[in-house]
Amino acid sequence: MPLRPSTICLGTILALSVLLAGVLLKGSLPGEQGGPDLQQKRALVRALELTDLCLFTEASYTRHLSMSDLSTPFQDSPASLEHFPTGALAAPPDLLVKRYAETD
Amino acid sequence: MAMAIRFPITILAMALILFAAPPLSAGFTPAKVGAKDKCPVCGMFVAKYPDFVAQVRFRDGSTFYFDGAKDMFKFYLDPSRYLPGRKVADIVAAFVTSYYDLVMVDAISAWYVVGSDVYGPMGRELIPFAREAEAREFLKDHKGKRIVRFREVTPAVLRPLD
Amino acid sequence: MRKLIERQRNILDFTLSSLLRRKGKNSALLLVYTGTIFILASVLFLTGALRREAALVLEAAPDIVVQRTMAGRYQPIPLAYAEEIGRIRGVASVWPRLWGYHYDAAFRANYTLMAQVESPPERGTIRIGSGISRMRGARRGDIIALPGHDGQSRSFTVGQVLDHRSQLLSSDLMLLSEKDYRDFSGFPTDRATDLAVRVRNPREQSTVAEKISRMYPDTRPIMRTEILRTYDAVFGWRSGVVMLSFCGAALAFGIFAWDKATGLSAEERKEIGILKAVGWETSDILLMKGWEGMVISLTAFLGGILLAYAHVFLASSILFAPVLKGWSILYPEFRLSPLLDVGQLATLFFLTVVPYTVTTIVPSWRIATVDPDSVMR
């Protein structure tokens, strides 16, 4: 007897749900919350007195986000909203683009 | 010879009478709060507030924990009200958590600031310090009203804190 | 009970075969739907995980960092400041941090150089982050030569490559001994970059910070709470930008889905009419349409979420890398600790599955209630 389409369909949905539940459960295990990796990272932060994540290394205010501020004039801060729309629309100078492209 | 022996005994007896009321925490070390210890005064779990823990030790070795110096004083001034059968005379040691370094210090010799802007889990608190200079600076920084010693804490001092 | 289940299954069977009859259109819909949820969920997962990681990891950051400014620019801070700040009541420790940047002209990358105080590397050796190691192909024992402040090149032996699992923090780090760093950067011996202050009682932190800025008006204390808030906000901002650019696509899908779900095609109208004519009740037709909406949106939802999970937590968000990378030459290939937020999933569910199912049912209900004769005509 061939499988009924409803069996296939419900089976697929059930399998996906089980997978999702597994993923959710895995994340809520205590080991995942504060696992050894996280402990190790925290130890590094403490040993080196780090203040920032190494996410974007193109400028000091993106490398050390929390060390930039508004109390110094001409702060190149990611929070400088006046740069946002224009800064995002204007392309960087050709010279820079070429130089950066070479290393890619 | 007999005189010589009796004399120190008299002094000892006198000393015992004199100091029986103020318990001496000397020779005792503060115990660690357990996760299940509740404050006998307010009934809250104490381990959640490590920055404010206070404790009282009885002669029989039993220790009670409080979530702040205020509750400890309430207990100390009238132990039988919270734990029937307990008497002040049986208290051998008391410790409070000093504010700046968060370590347990002897409650008897500590200095307490009343009326400051630092609140504990039970609201307004007596903030304990090991040294007078610390208490003075804290009083200035945190708009404290006055500094009191252990002996000076009476129900009248505690009332405005509630 | 058995009969009820059998009835539902029969209706589902019918729904599926009717969906399969319009295979092209429906599979395209499923694909676009899954893709939409995939992107939406990826952005949510990535920013959520980064935010969470930052909060957990930076919990160990210094309580207060004291910077000094002069003429509106950051300046090295005199070590004498550290002594005075250490005397403030409630301060547990003051560590001078010695660090700075180095631009590597050969690779056009920025490094963060730092003097390690605790168990420093031997003189002449350095520890490098795995990002630098990967980019330069440098391993333990290799020699890296960098031009110092006086223009003279100094060579260092790589003593250790930092664990790649901590890349999110250390990808671009280069750790030296204090003597080496001062010699390399020309930092005066009585100065540091900034001061890391630890305060024993968290309640006292803001008072200490106030005292510091009163004592030295040219300094700026940065509290850890501010650091954490910065990271909380920046990912909100980044995900906002991504969401904004994604808005158009989401809108297009919305229109597509709306059109598909509401504007029943003539064929579908006819189908409903025939079903009614052969004796189906309105409730059966609604049931069928309900199954149809649920099958499509549940499959798309589950598929999209699981794909997004794999993308963010197993494949390091590879599709977003070009956006996140920006101009960075050094970029961490971070692995985030996987965690799904049930609240987020519920939000996604109620924003996608529920409205879609409703929009499939409502128009067919309107048609199903009218006379089959007028529908078929």
Side-chain angles (χ1 to χ4, degrees), chain C residues 288-318:
Chain C
M288 181 191 103
K289 282 287 158 189
W291 271 115
E292 183 188 316
M294 233 145 68
V295 164
I296 289 187
S297 51
L298 258 183
T299 315
F301 177 78
L302 291 170
I305 295 273
L306 287 168
L307 280 176
Y309 181 88
H311 174 224
V312 171
F313 297 115
L314 305 179
S316 305
S317 315
I318 196 150

mmCIF file of all heavy atoms in Angstrom, chain C residues 288-318:
data_model
loop_
_atom_site.group_PDB
_atom_site.id
_atom_site.type_symbol
_atom_site.label_atom_id
_atom_site.label_comp_id
_atom_site.label_asym_id
_atom_site.label_seq_id
_atom_site.Cartn_x
_atom_site.Cartn_y
_atom_site.Cartn_z
ATOM 1 N N MET C 288 -10.408 22.448 5.011
ATOM 2 C CA MET C 288 -9.446 22.180 3.954
ATOM 3 C C MET C 288 -8.521 23.371 3.764
ATOM 4 O O MET C 288 -7.300 23.226 3.706
ATOM 5 C CB MET C 288 -10.195 21.887 2.653
ATOM 6 C CG MET C 288 -9.286 21.569 1.512
ATOM 7 S SD MET C 288 -10.219 21.547 -0.025
ATOM 8 C CE MET C 288 -9.760 23.097 -0.707
ATOM 9 N N LYS C 289 -9.118 24.564 3.710
ATOM 10 C CA LYS C 289 -8.298 25.765 3.514
ATOM 11 C C LYS C 289 -7.383 25.994 4.719
ATOM 12 O O LYS C 289 -6.253 26.444 4.581
ATOM 13 C CB LYS C 289 -9.212 26.981 3.293
ATOM 14 C CG LYS C 289 -9.778 27.038 1.904
ATOM 15 C CD LYS C 289 -8.678 27.451 0.935
ATOM 16 C CE LYS C 289 -9.027 27.005 -0.479
ATOM 17 N NZ LYS C 289 -7.908 27.182 -1.396
ATOM 18 N N GLY C 290 -7.906 25.688 5.901
ATOM 19 C CA GLY C 290 -7.097 25.829 7.109
ATOM 20 C C GLY C 290 -5.896 24.906 7.067
ATOM 21 O O GLY C 290 -4.768 25.318 7.340
ATOM 22 N N TRP C 291 -6.132 23.645 6.645
ATOM 23 C CA TRP C 291 -5.028 22.708 6.499
ATOM 24 C C TRP C 291 -4.025 23.224 5.489
ATOM 25 O O TRP C 291 -2.819 23.146 5.714
ATOM 26 C CB TRP C 291 -5.552 21.345 6.044
ATOM 27 C CG TRP C 291 -5.926 20.439 7.179
ATOM 28 C CD1 TRP C 291 -7.161 19.982 7.475
ATOM 29 C CD2 TRP C 291 -5.054 19.876 8.156
ATOM 30 N NE1 TRP C 291 -7.140 19.190 8.575
ATOM 31 C CE2 TRP C 291 -5.836 19.084 9.023
ATOM 32 C CE3 TRP C 291 -3.674 19.963 8.403
ATOM 33 C CZ2 TRP C 291 -5.307 18.403 10.108
ATOM 34 C CZ3 TRP C 291 -3.146 19.270 9.471
ATOM 35 C CH2 TRP C 291 -3.958 18.494 10.313
ATOM 36 N N GLU C 292 -4.536 23.757 4.414
ATOM 37 C CA GLU C 292 -3.652 24.246 3.348
ATOM 38 C C GLU C 292 -2.708 25.326 3.900
ATOM 39 O O GLU C 292 -1.487 25.254 3.740
ATOM 40 C CB GLU C 292 -4.495 24.816 2.191
ATOM 41 C CG GLU C 292 -3.647 25.273 1.017
ATOM 42 C CD GLU C 292 -4.481 26.000 -0.015
ATOM 43 O OE1 GLU C 292 -5.592 25.518 -0.342
ATOM 44 O OE2 GLU C 292 -4.038 27.057 -0.495
ATOM 45 N N GLY C 293 -3.289 26.321 4.584
ATOM 46 C CA GLY C 293 -2.473 27.404 5.141
ATOM 47 C C GLY C 293 -1.490 26.878 6.161
ATOM 48 O O GLY C 293 -0.320 27.266 6.187
ATOM 49 N N MET C 294 -1.953 25.944 6.985
ATOM 50 C CA MET C 294 -1.111 25.449 8.058
ATOM 51 C C MET C 294 0.044 24.623 7.507
ATOM 52 O O MET C 294 1.180 24.770 7.962
ATOM 53 C CB MET C 294 -1.932 24.609 9.018
ATOM 54 C CG MET C 294 -1.750 25.103 10.414
ATOM 55 S SD MET C 294 -3.207 24.965 11.382
ATOM 56 C CE MET C 294 -3.427 23.236 11.560
ATOM 57 N N VAL C 295 -0.250 23.759 6.529
ATOM 58 C CA VAL C 295 0.805 22.916 5.964
ATOM 59 C C VAL C 295 1.899 23.780 5.375
ATOM 60 O O VAL C 295 3.087 23.610 5.668
ATOM 61 C CB VAL C 295 0.223 21.969 4.893
ATOM 62 C CG1 VAL C 295 1.346 21.392 4.034
ATOM 63 C CG2 VAL C 295 -0.556 20.852 5.556
ATOM 64 N N ILE C 296 1.487 24.759 4.567
ATOM 65 C CA ILE C 296 2.494 25.599 3.920
ATOM 66 C C ILE C 296 3.272 26.404 4.941
ATOM 67 O O ILE C 296 4.514 26.400 4.958
ATOM 68 C CB ILE C 296 1.827 26.535 2.887
ATOM 69 C CG1 ILE C 296 1.360 25.687 1.702
ATOM 70 C CG2 ILE C 296 2.789 27.627 2.433
ATOM 71 C CD1 ILE C 296 0.843 26.482 0.557
ATOM 72 N N SER C 297 2.566 27.084 5.841
ATOM 73 C CA SER C 297 3.309 27.982 6.717
ATOM 74 C C SER C 297 4.065 27.224 7.802
ATOM 75 O O SER C 297 5.142 27.662 8.204
ATOM 76 C CB SER C 297 2.404 29.050 7.312
ATOM 77 O OG SER C 297 1.280 28.469 7.896
ATOM 78 N N LEU C 298 3.567 26.111 8.260
ATOM 79 C CA LEU C 298 4.317 25.352 9.273
ATOM 80 C C LEU C 298 5.598 24.786 8.683
ATOM 81 O O LEU C 298 6.666 24.869 9.298
ATOM 82 C CB LEU C 298 3.470 24.199 9.814
ATOM 83 C CG LEU C 298 2.818 24.410 11.183
ATOM 84 C CD1 LEU C 298 2.077 23.167 11.602
ATOM 85 C CD2 LEU C 298 3.851 24.789 12.229
ATOM 86 N N THR C 299 5.483 24.225 7.477
ATOM 87 C CA THR C 299 6.681 23.684 6.831
ATOM 88 C C THR C 299 7.703 24.799 6.615
ATOM 89 O O THR C 299 8.883 24.642 6.922
ATOM 90 C CB THR C 299 6.327 23.051 5.482
ATOM 91 O OG1 THR C 299 5.156 22.261 5.649
ATOM 92 C CG2 THR C 299 7.457 22.189 4.976
ATOM 93 N N ALA C 300 7.223 25.930 6.111
ATOM 94 C CA ALA C 300 8.134 27.047 5.851
ATOM 95 C C ALA C 300 8.749 27.540 7.152
ATOM 96 O O ALA C 300 9.948 27.819 7.236
ATOM 97 C CB ALA C 300 7.389 28.180 5.160
ATOM 98 N N PHE C 301 7.925 27.634 8.189
ATOM 99 C CA PHE C 301 8.408 28.142 9.479
ATOM 100 C C PHE C 301 9.487 27.230 10.055
ATOM 101 O O PHE C 301 10.596 27.675 10.355
ATOM 102 C CB PHE C 301 7.229 28.256 10.438
ATOM 103 C CG PHE C 301 7.607 28.696 11.819
ATOM 104 C CD1 PHE C 301 7.879 30.038 12.078
ATOM 105 C CD2 PHE C 301 7.689 27.799 12.857
ATOM 106 C CE1 PHE C 301 8.219 30.457 13.342
ATOM 107 C CE2 PHE C 301 8.029 28.208 14.129
ATOM 108 C CZ PHE C 301 8.294 29.537 14.380
ATOM 109 N N LEU C 302 9.156 25.946 10.151
ATOM 110 C CA LEU C 302 10.111 25.008 10.751
ATOM 111 C C LEU C 302 11.385 24.922 9.919
ATOM 112 O O LEU C 302 12.499 24.976 10.449
ATOM 113 C CB LEU C 302 9.470 23.624 10.884
ATOM 114 C CG LEU C 302 8.353 23.545 11.924
ATOM 115 C CD1 LEU C 302 7.608 22.226 11.813
ATOM 116 C CD2 LEU C 302 8.929 23.698 13.323
ATOM 117 N N GLY C 303 11.194 24.813 8.602
ATOM 118 C CA GLY C 303 12.357 24.726 7.722
ATOM 119 C C GLY C 303 13.228 25.964 7.833
ATOM 120 O O GLY C 303 14.452 25.876 7.960
ATOM 121 N N GLY C 304 12.586 27.129 7.785
ATOM 122 C CA GLY C 304 13.329 28.394 7.837
ATOM 123 C C GLY C 304 14.094 28.538 9.131
ATOM 124 O O GLY C 304 15.267 28.925 9.146
ATOM 125 N N ILE C 305 13.450 28.210 10.239
ATOM 126 C CA ILE C 305 14.094 28.345 11.551
ATOM 127 C C ILE C 305 15.296 27.417 11.661
ATOM 128 O O ILE C 305 16.375 27.823 12.090
ATOM 129 C CB ILE C 305 13.102 27.993 12.678
ATOM 130 C CG1 ILE C 305 11.947 28.986 12.717
ATOM 131 C CG2 ILE C 305 13.803 27.888 14.026
ATOM 132 C CD1 ILE C 305 12.190 30.209 13.522
ATOM 133 N N LEU C 306 15.110 26.175 11.229
ATOM 134 C CA LEU C 306 16.210 25.208 11.348
ATOM 135 C C LEU C 306 17.370 25.586 10.431
ATOM 136 O O LEU C 306 18.532 25.469 10.807
ATOM 137 C CB LEU C 306 15.707 23.793 11.050
ATOM 138 C CG LEU C 306 14.850 23.220 12.180
ATOM 139 C CD1 LEU C 306 14.147 21.948 11.726
ATOM 140 C CD2 LEU C 306 15.703 22.936 13.410
ATOM 141 N N LEU C 307 17.041 26.063 9.244
ATOM 142 C CA LEU C 307 18.112 26.506 8.339
ATOM 143 C C LEU C 307 18.864 27.682 8.950
ATOM 144 O O LEU C 307 20.088 27.752 8.893
ATOM 145 C CB LEU C 307 17.515 26.906 6.985
ATOM 146 C CG LEU C 307 17.182 25.761 6.038
ATOM 147 C CD1 LEU C 307 16.514 26.296 4.784
ATOM 148 C CD2 LEU C 307 18.458 25.008 5.662
ATOM 149 N N ALA C 308 18.117 28.599 9.547
ATOM 150 C CA ALA C 308 18.745 29.768 10.159
ATOM 151 C C ALA C 308 19.646 29.344 11.317
ATOM 152 O O ALA C 308 20.734 29.882 11.503
ATOM 153 C CB ALA C 308 17.677 30.733 10.653
ATOM 154 N N TYR C 309 19.186 28.372 12.067
ATOM 155 C CA TYR C 309 19.991 27.862 13.180
ATOM 156 C C TYR C 309 21.319 27.320 12.672
ATOM 157 O O TYR C 309 22.389 27.656 13.182
ATOM 158 C CB TYR C 309 19.209 26.772 13.909
ATOM 159 C CG TYR C 309 19.935 26.179 15.090
ATOM 160 C CD1 TYR C 309 19.831 26.743 16.347
ATOM 161 C CD2 TYR C 309 20.725 25.046 14.946
ATOM 162 C CE1 TYR C 309 20.480 26.209 17.432
ATOM 163 C CE2 TYR C 309 21.387 24.501 16.034
ATOM 164 C CZ TYR C 309 21.254 25.088 17.272
ATOM 165 O OH TYR C 309 21.910 24.546 18.342
ATOM 166 N N ALA C 310 21.214 26.498 11.622
ATOM 167 C CA ALA C 310 22.437 25.928 11.057
ATOM 168 C C ALA C 310 23.335 27.036 10.508
ATOM 169 O O ALA C 310 24.555 27.020 10.697
ATOM 170 C CB ALA C 310 22.084 24.942 9.956
ATOM 171 N N HIS C 311 22.727 28.009 9.875
ATOM 172 C CA HIS C 311 23.481 29.110 9.272
ATOM 173 C C HIS C 311 24.250 29.904 10.326
ATOM 174 O O HIS C 311 25.437 30.154 10.208
ATOM 175 C CB HIS C 311 22.498 30.017 8.520
ATOM 176 C CG HIS C 311 23.115 31.263 7.985
ATOM 177 N ND1 HIS C 311 22.500 32.487 8.098
ATOM 178 C CD2 HIS C 311 24.272 31.480 7.337
ATOM 179 C CE1 HIS C 311 23.266 33.397 7.540
ATOM 180 N NE2 HIS C 311 24.337 32.817 7.063
ATOM 181 N N VAL C 312 23.549 30.276 11.402
ATOM 182 C CA VAL C 312 24.167 31.149 12.401
ATOM 183 C C VAL C 312 25.128 30.387 13.304
ATOM 184 O O VAL C 312 26.245 30.826 13.562
ATOM 185 C CB VAL C 312 23.081 31.847 13.245
ATOM 186 C CG1 VAL C 312 23.708 32.589 14.420
ATOM 187 C CG2 VAL C 312 22.291 32.806 12.377
ATOM 188 N N PHE C 313 24.697 29.231 13.782
ATOM 189 C CA PHE C 313 25.499 28.580 14.817
ATOM 190 C C PHE C 313 26.458 27.521 14.281
ATOM 191 O O PHE C 313 27.425 27.177 14.938
ATOM 192 C CB PHE C 313 24.585 27.960 15.870
ATOM 193 C CG PHE C 313 23.776 28.994 16.588
ATOM 194 C CD1 PHE C 313 22.402 29.032 16.468
ATOM 195 C CD2 PHE C 313 24.396 29.965 17.363
ATOM 196 C CE1 PHE C 313 21.663 30.003 17.124
ATOM 197 C CE2 PHE C 313 23.667 30.934 18.016
ATOM 198 C CZ PHE C 313 22.293 30.949 17.895
ATOM 199 N N LEU C 314 26.197 27.010 13.098
ATOM 200 C CA LEU C 314 27.108 25.997 12.562
ATOM 201 C C LEU C 314 27.974 26.549 11.438
ATOM 202 O O LEU C 314 29.097 26.138 11.258
ATOM 203 C CB LEU C 314 26.326 24.768 12.063
ATOM 204 C CG LEU C 314 25.398 24.110 13.100
ATOM 205 C CD1 LEU C 314 24.664 22.931 12.495
ATOM 206 C CD2 LEU C 314 26.199 23.665 14.315
ATOM 207 N N ALA C 315 27.414 27.509 10.670
ATOM 208 C CA ALA C 315 28.168 28.022 9.524
ATOM 209 C C ALA C 315 28.672 29.435 9.760
ATOM 210 O O ALA C 315 29.070 30.135 8.832
ATOM 211 C CB ALA C 315 27.312 27.967 8.274
ATOM 212 N N SER C 316 28.706 29.897 11.028
ATOM 213 C CA SER C 316 29.231 31.227 11.376
ATOM 214 C C SER C 316 28.612 32.346 10.543
ATOM 215 O O SER C 316 29.308 33.277 10.152
ATOM 216 C CB SER C 316 30.748 31.268 11.260
ATOM 217 O OG SER C 316 31.333 30.275 12.028
ATOM 218 N N SER C 317 27.337 32.274 10.260
ATOM 219 C CA SER C 317 26.620 33.335 9.535
ATOM 220 C C SER C 317 27.318 33.719 8.244
ATOM 221 O O SER C 317 27.513 34.895 7.962
ATOM 222 C CB SER C 317 26.457 34.579 10.395
ATOM 223 O OG SER C 317 26.054 34.248 11.665
ATOM 224 N N ILE C 318 27.685 32.734 7.494
ATOM 225 C CA ILE C 318 28.528 32.982 6.319
ATOM 226 C C ILE C 318 27.876 33.923 5.309
ATOM 227 O O ILE C 318 28.552 34.703 4.649
ATOM 228 C CB ILE C 318 28.917 31.624 5.682
ATOM 229 C CG1 ILE C 318 30.087 31.813 4.735
ATOM 230 C CG2 ILE C 318 27.746 30.957 4.980
ATOM 231 C CD1 ILE C 318 30.952 30.573 4.673
#
